[in-house]
Amino acid sequence: MPRKKIIALGGDGVGPEVMEVACYILEKAGYALDILKPLCGSEAFQARGNAFPDEAKKLCEESDAILFGAAEGPSVAILVYLRWSMDNYINLRPVKYYPGALSPLKNPEGIDFLLIRENSEGMYPGREGDIPWLAQKMSDYKDPFGRTLDFYGEGKFAIRLITRKGTDRIAKYAVDLARERKSQGFAGKVTCITKSNVLRQSCGFFQKTVEEAVKKSTEIAYEHFHVDDAARRLIRFPRDFDVIVTSNMFGDILADEAGEMVGGLGIAPSACLGGRKPYFEPVHGSAPDIAGQGIVNPTAMILSAKMMLDYLGMKEEALGLEAAVARVYQEKKYLTPDQGGKATTRQFAEAVLKAIK
Ligand code: GGG
């Protein structure tokens, strides 16, 4: 297999720390990857006043895949580019329990499902403004109480977009993934999560579109929950889920909840797919409270790199890396403080590397 060109962008806060050790593992493990680390994020912003210099952007465009750390301040520009300019509309967030991880659930064993967050529309990116401005533009509009918007006076609005194109493509992806999972021995079920009892038009449209996509495929089971009910069911019946599909903000929130169920955000990886170039990032953000202390849990970044290996067709390497992470959790000797351990970020990474070899 030809070597793959990977661009590593650390970003802000703990992003560069988790990226450094993830790349260290990938390089030392001897995988067929050429990893380039252009100046970017907070570091580039301080040096050049630009978190995402053109050289870094160009390298991303020429890459096979991108690893991204975390965004909070300057690196939001990177995130916006990777997600919207590259049109990575799928955010795939696996939720899997590795024995040894510090879950708050009494019995997290066997939790293993996928959460698909629509990544390009809904409430994100924020499309907001002043209510009086909107009231003028929509002077004919009446809300469910028969009021025009000028009734509400000063305040802000946010627009939630659920488009035909955006919903069709994420629904199709969910069905394809459930079918693939079924062939691997999973349930082969799509769970659609909306709030269509309140947001009848936008969530109703999302729900109907997913239902139609599922109906085309007889072998896939289907269920729908409202987001509040789903939040509860995730905790009560976590093993009932297989493939969840939901809109952007619900997915953002539920993925944090789901990540916590299997040991916290330090463990939750993700893949952003469907666009010009895929990128792989931890679900967590920049965690400024622990940045620079050398104690951040790099598992989410390492497992995001595992998803990248999978995507690149390096299946054996992906399995090997995941098995190594699982072993370090099982042994519990080198876990970071968020998992009840005393290991540093670097010590955890060394333990993973040793477990690969
Ligand atoms: N590694 C993911 C990250 O940095 N997330 C920051 C964040 O909250 N981004 C907003 C979003 O995911 O839509």
Side-chain angles (χ1 to χ4, degrees):
M1 181 181 288
R3 295 180 69 80
K4 302 291 181 187
K5 182 170 167 180
I6 308 304
I7 309 304
L9 307 171
D12 304 328
V14 295
E17 294 172 57
V18 292
M19 184 62 77
E20 190 194 330
V21 298
C23 291
Y24 172 76
I25 292 169
L26 296 175
E27 285 164 347
K28 289 280 177 190
Y31 301 148
L33 304 171
D34 294 316
I35 306 177
L36 304 177
K37 302 160 190 163
L39 187 71
C40 77
S42 301
E43 215 187 329
F45 190 74
Q46 275 157 20
R48 299 206 206 157
N50 179 2
F52 200 26
D54 285 346
E55 307 92 85
K57 211 174 278 179
K58 185 164 176 286
L59 285 174
C60 288
E61 293 290 349
E62 295 163 357
S63 71
D64 291 299
I66 299 154
L67 289 170
F68 181 64
E72 186 65 52
S75 299
V76 170
I78 304 179
L79 202 66
V80 167
Y81 188 85
L82 298 180
R83 197 180 296 180
W84 282 283
S85 299
M86 287 192 163
D87 198 21
N88 280 306
Y89 63 92
I90 299 159
N91 191 338
L92 178 61
R93 298 181 156 189
V95 181
K96 181 169 176 177
Y97 180 66
Y98 294 95
L102 195 60
S103 163
L105 300 186
K106 200 157 89 186
N107 176 22
E109 297 278 340
I111 297 178
D112 188 353
F113 62 87
L114 299 175
L115 191 153
I116 302 167
R117 165 187 173 191
E118 201 293 321
N119 213 22
S120 68
E121 53 183 47
M123 289 294 266
Y124 302 2
R127 296 176 183 88
E128 302 174 296
D130 292 309
I131 293 174
W133 178 86
L134 188 66
Q136 248 188 5
K137 298 279 169 206
M138 294 176 63
S139 54
D140 291 345
Y141 175 80
K142 293 228 173 73
D143 74 8
F145 310 107
R147 295 167 181 157
T148 54
L149 291 177
D150 53 10
F151 170 85
Y152 295 97
E154 189 188 341
K156 302 285 180 187
F157 67 85
I159 293 178
R160 182 165 186 267
L161 294 180
I162 304 289
T163 69
R164 162 64 66 198
K165 178 183 164 197
T167 314
D168 273 347
R169 64 188 184 176
I170 204 72
K172 180 176 181 318
Y173 180 74
V175 171
D176 289 348
L177 198 55
R179 208 182 291 125
E180 190 187 318
R181 294 258 296 178
K182 191 164 185 185
S183 73
Q184 296 164 357
F186 290 93
K189 176 169 74 172
V190 169
T191 303
C192 176
I193 297 178
T194 73
K195 188 68 184 172
S196 58
N197 54 345
V198 175
L199 300 169
R200 289 176 184 276
Q201 294 202 36
S202 55
C203 276
F205 179 76
F206 190 94
Q207 181 181 346
K208 187 162 169 278
T209 307
V210 174
E211 274 166 19
E212 280 167 4
V214 172
K215 264 191 219 140
K216 286 187 198 149
S217 177
T218 47
E219 74 265 42
I220 300 304
Y222 173 78
E223 64 193 1
H224 168 267
F225 299 120
H226 296 301
V227 64
D228 44 344
D229 185 27
R232 164 190 88 76
R233 283 173 184 273
L234 278 173
I235 291 168
R236 178 65 68 182
F237 310 113
R239 278 164 290 270
D240 283 2
F241 293 94
D242 183 18
V243 174
I244 291 176
V245 63
T246 190
S247 53
N248 205 338
M249 192 163 75
F250 295 157
D252 192 9
I253 297 167
L254 292 176
D256 272 32
E257 180 192 343
E260 210 50 63
M261 286 159 40
V262 292
L265 289 191
I267 296 180
S270 86
C272 297
L273 310 168
R276 272 202 313 284
K277 302 287 171 184
Y279 71 98
F280 300 82
E281 62 168 354
V283 168
H284 67 70
S286 64
D289 52 329
I290 54 163
Q293 296 178 33
I295 55 161
V296 60
N297 185 347
T299 307
M301 188 75 246
I302 296 168
L303 290 176
S304 300
K306 177 259 169 196
M307 295 180 81
M308 177 188 78
L309 294 172
D310 250 331
Y311 171 89
L312 294 171
M314 302 168 81
K315 304 285 174 196
E316 247 176 62
E317 291 87 340
L319 280 174
L321 181 54
E322 185 183 22
V325 169
R327 196 167 324 145
V328 173
Y329 274 91
Q330 205 142 29
E331 288 173 2
K332 288 192 184 181
K333 258 173 75 185
Y334 293 102
L335 299 183
T336 44
D338 59 305
Q339 298 301 311
K342 288 201 169 78
T344 62
T345 308
R346 172 62 64 167
Q347 286 167 334
F348 177 89
E350 292 288 2
V352 172
L353 185 59
K354 203 163 153 220
I356 295 174
K357 290 184 168 172

